[in-house]
Amino acid sequence: RRSHLDLDEVDSGLYRASSKLLWVPPGGKSVFGGQVMGQALHAAQLTVHRDSWLPISLHSYFLKRGSPNSDIIYQCRETSNLRSFDSRSVDAIQNGQIIFKMQAQFARPEESQLRHVERADGVTGMPRGVVAPDECLGMDDLLGDLMARAPAALLPLIEELRASPIEVRYAVGAPHDPLDPDPPSMPSRQLLWVRIREPITKAPGLDAACAAYISDQPLLLTALRPHRISFPSPKLGALATLDHSMWFHGPFDADDWLLYDMHAPFAGSGRALCFGHLYRPDTGQLVASCAQQGVLRLAKPTLKNKAALFAMRGA
């Protein structure tokens, strides 16, 4: 069985993602950005031919929407091969146009006596007070409850959400009712347990590629919380990633639980800025950090949007 990150080598530094493996998120029309980012990082890793070298960072831009109907070609260039660091540039190309660009850097893991981890609130290590993932309500549980009481018009969307390759559990209590068309305002922070549903092959850099995949989906949604908007919502006109950066700090397994701590300190001018940190629950170690800017716009009032709000209420 092939995964969402599988690639076929076409030539040296050239890889193809089959359109049959491209995934469109529920309610969306274009390829999931996290998949493109994860595939690009995986392609870059395949051009690094030094044992034990792994990604330490990536910086990427989403330039055009990806179509689920055409293959994506990843063109990798060896930007540099130095004693301590390798760099790669990756273009994702579809129908002759560049839809995504990434710069990634790789290095050999090394021990360092200069080491610390500190959060913005001055506390070291993983956030405290979170419930273990086995004791938390899962998105699967929430969606199962919604299937029993949601209007018929929303059932196909809920079924699509249940098929997500990312498993999510709520680390600090149940979320608000997704069927509530007027949810309460909440802090611009959320804590989720996340992991890839299926076991993954332990190939070099594949856990990092999976973490890039995971990191994209919920991060920008954090910026909706203070504005009383859930996702999906007919109130929302545009929600899309513009650029995404990520830094990898230590080893982890992406098919095991990671705590994803997300914060959105700014929204304005039709954009939002979000930051995220991934922690291992067994050690409390910070293993990855990310930053993302995205488009965030309200929908213009239309009869179609008003009808969608009535559907959410079951009217």
Side-chain angles (χ1 to χ4, degrees):
R1 181 178 177 181
R2 305 197 71 187
S3 80
H4 284 193
L5 297 182
D6 281 347
L7 301 169
D8 299 313
E9 187 172 12
V10 178
D11 204 340
S12 177
L14 207 61
Y15 302 90
R16 177 189 292 115
S18 170
S19 61
K20 296 178 181 179
L21 299 176
L22 299 180
W23 184 61
V24 177
K29 296 180 180 179
S30 55
V31 178
F32 174 45
Q35 183 178 21
V36 176
M37 183 165 51
Q39 288 177 339
L41 186 59
H42 182 36
Q45 177 75 62
L46 292 173
T47 70
V48 176
H49 305 299
R50 299 205 246 190
D51 291 342
S52 303
W53 284 52
L54 297 171
I56 60 169
S57 68
L58 68 85
H59 303 278
S60 62
Y61 286 90
F62 294 83
L63 306 177
K64 295 180 181 292
R65 292 185 177 185
S67 168
N69 302 316
S70 300
D71 295 350
I72 299 177
I73 301 296
Y74 293 93
Q75 184 178 45
C76 304
R77 293 184 297 277
E78 297 187 3
T79 314
S80 67
N81 293 306
L82 305 177
R83 178 180 299 179
S84 299
F85 303 99
D86 282 357
S87 297
R88 297 292 184 267
S89 298
V90 184
D91 290 344
I93 303 169
Q94 195 174 53
N95 300 319
Q97 294 187 316
I98 297 175
I99 64 170
F100 171 89
K101 295 182 76 74
M102 172 187 285
Q103 188 79 20
Q105 198 161 55
F106 301 80
R108 181 193 306 110
E110 61 179 83
E111 293 295 327
S112 175
Q113 294 181 346
L114 303 176
R115 181 177 179 84
H116 75 275
V117 177
E118 184 174 301
R119 302 203 314 272
D121 57 11
V123 178
T124 59
M126 192 172 78
R128 299 170 184 172
V130 296
V131 180
D134 292 343
E135 302 174 18
C136 292
L137 177 74
M139 184 178 288
D140 292 344
D141 302 317
L142 182 67
L143 295 174
D145 172 67
L146 290 180
M147 288 293 293
R149 59 188 181 87
L154 295 181
L155 295 183
L157 177 62
I158 295 172
E159 286 287 7
E160 290 180 18
L161 287 168
R162 296 178 77 178
S164 170
I166 303 169
E167 186 175 0
V168 175
R169 295 188 183 179
Y170 303 99
V172 287
H176 69 272
D177 187 349
L179 295 181
D180 184 355
D182 193 24
S185 177
M186 294 176 290
S188 58
R189 186 187 182 197
Q190 61 175 336
L191 286 158
L192 300 175
W193 291 108
V194 293
R195 69 178 176 184
I196 295 292
R197 286 187 187 275
E198 300 292 334
I200 62 174
T201 304
K202 295 308 173 186
L206 198 54
D207 284 298
C210 287
Y213 185 110
I214 291 172
S215 70
D216 182 53
Q217 189 173 38
L219 189 52
L220 193 55
L221 302 182
T222 311
L224 296 176
R225 292 168 59 86
H227 303 284
R228 305 175 66 179
I229 300 174
S230 56
F231 180 83
S233 170
K235 297 179 182 179
L236 198 58
L239 181 82
T241 305
L242 291 171
D243 53 83
H244 190 112
S245 294
M246 199 160 187
W247 300 265
F248 302 98
H249 314 304
F252 60 91
D253 294 321
D255 52 2
D256 201 355
W257 290 114
L258 296 168
L259 182 67
Y260 197 6
D261 184 1
M262 293 160 279
H263 178 224
F266 170 81
S269 299
R271 303 185 307 277
L273 178 65
C274 304
F275 297 96
H277 297 90
L278 287 164
Y279 295 88
R280 280 178 52 167
D282 56 340
T283 63
Q285 181 183 2
L286 175 68
V287 294
S289 302
C290 57
Q292 183 182 82
Q293 182 176 225
V295 176
L296 196 67
R297 295 190 183 118
L298 292 175
K300 296 179 180 179
T302 64
L303 289 176
K304 182 178 179 180
N305 289 338
K306 291 179 180 178
L309 282 170
F310 279 120
M312 291 182 70
R313 294 188 174 99

